Amino acid sequence: MTKAYNVGVSAHSSIESEKFLGRSVTYASDSAKLDQAFCESPVYSTKNISNQDFYAAFKASPSSLGFSDDKITEVSLSCLDNSAIMGSTLIFQEGGSAYTLVDGTFLKLEKTL
């Protein structure tokens, strides 16, 4: 996670949001590592949301994260033990940036190999 955005209603101040920077999430079909939480056999659900739906769900304008008027994809991850919070929501546009969400704070993700 490389940058924190408090663009809507967030439970974190800007300074508190910075504590998430440098943490990592890893997604695979058979497992996911969400910061320090390991999710075995994750279940992913994907839906496309409009700009209006995005605003209604997150109380933030999609353009504040650099999203265009095109469709936005939201991927939700659930684990059997329901312990993972950081990284359990992934929001992105094709060819654009990807974000995860923690208590109203959007965290920009960078792909690494």
Side-chain angles (χ1 to χ4, degrees):
M1 293 173 209
T2 60
K3 187 158 182 158
Y5 296 85
N6 293 341
V7 295
V9 177
S10 175
H12 307 283
S13 70
S14 295
I15 293 171
E16 290 172 326
S17 297
E18 290 180 6
K19 71 181 180 181
F20 297 113
L21 302 183
R23 296 186 185 188
S24 65
V25 292
T26 304
Y27 303 100
S29 60
D30 60 344
S31 66
K33 185 171 183 276
L34 310 171
D35 192 31
Q36 299 300 313
F38 183 76
C39 177
E40 191 173 339
S41 302
V43 176
Y44 298 96
S45 58
T46 303
K47 67 179 178 178
N48 291 321
I49 56 176
S50 67
N51 284 349
Q52 294 80 12
D53 292 338
F54 184 95
Y55 187 83
F58 304 113
K59 304 297 183 251
S61 168
S63 62
S64 63
L65 297 175
F67 290 146
S68 68
D69 289 338
D70 294 333
K71 70 179 179 180
I72 299 167
T73 302
E74 178 182 354
V75 178
S76 297
L77 176 148
S78 59
C79 300
L80 293 177
D81 63 2
N82 292 319
S83 65
I85 295 175
M86 180 179 294
S88 61
T89 300
L90 182 65
I91 301 165
F92 65 93
Q93 272 187 329
E94 289 297 323
S97 297
Y99 300 86
T100 190
L101 187 68
V102 177
D103 296 330
T105 299
F106 290 91
L107 302 167
K108 187 175 184 179
L109 302 173
E110 297 289 335
K111 184 177 179 178
T112 58
L113 299 175

